[in-house]
Amino acid sequence: MNGKKLTTALAGCGAALALLSAPAAAGTVTAATAAAQAVQRDSTACIKPSGRKTNYSWKNGNSSTTVYFNNHCSHRVYAKVHFKGPAGTRTECLATNGGTNGKKKFRKGLAEDLTNISKNC
């Protein structure tokens, strides 16, 4: 390898190393932010058939959160959706028919997050 090619190759490696060692920009996602934006899951047990569940998943958004559900029960299931924010906590009800799946959108405040889903509302 001649000197000119070697210098170009070293300059390219130096630029890449500088980019890797630069501090994170304000717009990048940190580990804490990524954890807050991760998909969360919860489930509630069925009365009939025994051993089956209704499964829920969601990802907190800015002004709303969509809860996806899959009801493996043979009956209608009522679930309490818990939101927590600076003004305190609040709950909403989610009813799903037996043997169905779908989604339900909940409006929320900017600082509110859906924390968990429990049985019976």
Side-chain angles (χ1 to χ4, degrees):
M1 186 179 260
N2 66 24
K4 190 173 184 177
K5 286 184 181 178
L6 183 60
T7 305
T8 306
L10 288 175
C13 291
L17 182 60
L19 288 174
L20 288 175
S21 63
T28 58
V29 176
T30 63
T33 307
Q37 294 177 351
V39 174
Q40 298 178 4
R41 300 178 194 285
D42 212 341
S43 62
T44 58
C46 296
I47 297 170
K48 289 181 188 175
S50 179
R52 304 290 286 219
K53 295 180 179 180
T54 301
N55 301 310
Y56 306 96
S57 64
W58 69 92
K59 182 177 174 183
N60 284 303
N62 289 329
S63 61
S64 66
T65 296
T66 301
V67 176
Y68 297 88
F69 62 87
N70 190 356
N71 186 347
H72 295 282
C73 305
S74 61
H75 54 85
R76 182 172 238 191
V77 172
Y78 295 93
K80 192 181 295 186
V81 180
H82 301 267
F83 290 93
K84 184 176 182 180
T89 60
R90 70 179 176 91
T91 60
E92 291 201 31
C93 191
L94 171 63
T96 62
N97 291 325
T100 61
N101 60 19
K103 61 185 177 179
K104 170 80 170 145
K105 188 177 203 175
F106 292 94
R107 299 277 177 209
K108 65 183 196 72
L110 290 175
E112 277 188 323
D113 283 329
L114 196 160
T115 55
N116 70 314
I117 298 175
S118 62
K119 199 170 189 174
N120 298 330
C121 54

